[in-house]
Amino acid sequence: MIGGSALGGLVIGAVLATRRNWRILKTIGNVGSLLPRNRPEIMHAAAMSVAAGISEELAFRLFLPLLVALVSGNAFVAFGVAIAVFGAMHRYQGRVGVIATTLVGALMAAIYLMTGELWLAMLLHALIDLNSLALRPALTGAWRAA
C-alpha cells in the first residue's frame, strides 16, 4: 500500500508538473546545486537518486542505529540519533531543508520499523529523490533555464 501510494504520488506529481501553472520548479530547501543543468545531467541525477536511496537508507536506518544501539543499549536513542544525523547531513539545503529531511528520515525509520523491510524505505527514498532531482526537472524543462 505504501509503495502504491508513493508510485501514485509520483505519477500525480509528473502530471501536475506538465501543467502550465506548474512550470516553476518548487523545491523544499536549497537543492539548486543538485538539479540538472542540461539533458545529459538528468541521467546522472537519476543515478544519484537511486544511489542515495540505497546508501543513505543503509547508513541511517541500519548501520548507524545498530552502532548507537550497541553503544547505548537503547533502540529509541539509536534511531533518534540516526534521524538527527540524517537531517544534519542535509545542512546544505538550509533550515527548511534540514527540517524536511529530518521529517522524511523519521518517516523512513517508521516505515522500516513497522514493516521490517529496509528495501521498502530504500525504494521510497529513491522515488522521492527521483521525483525531485530527475523527473520534475525533465518534465518542466527546468534544465533549460540553467
Side-chain angles (χ1 to χ4, degrees), residues 38-127:
N38 53 47
R39 191 176 294 251
E41 284 187 2
I42 291 173
M43 293 308 295
H44 294 289
M48 180 180 65
S49 298
V50 172
I54 294 169
S55 62
E56 288 182 2
E57 292 307 312
L58 279 171
F60 295 106
R61 293 331 140 226
L62 185 63
F63 297 135
L64 185 58
L66 180 59
L67 178 64
V68 174
L70 288 172
V71 171
S72 71
N74 189 324
F76 290 111
V77 170
F79 277 96
V81 167
I83 291 166
V85 171
F86 179 75
M89 293 298 294
H90 292 84
R91 283 187 315 237
Y92 64 90
Q93 293 182 11
R95 181 181 303 170
V96 173
V98 169
I99 293 168
T101 55
T102 301
L103 293 174
V104 169
L107 175 66
M108 294 300 154
I111 289 168
Y112 172 50
L113 292 171
M114 286 189 296
T115 65
E117 302 288 345
L118 186 59
W119 69 266
L120 185 55
M122 289 176 177
L123 175 65
L124 294 175
H125 188 150
L127 287 174

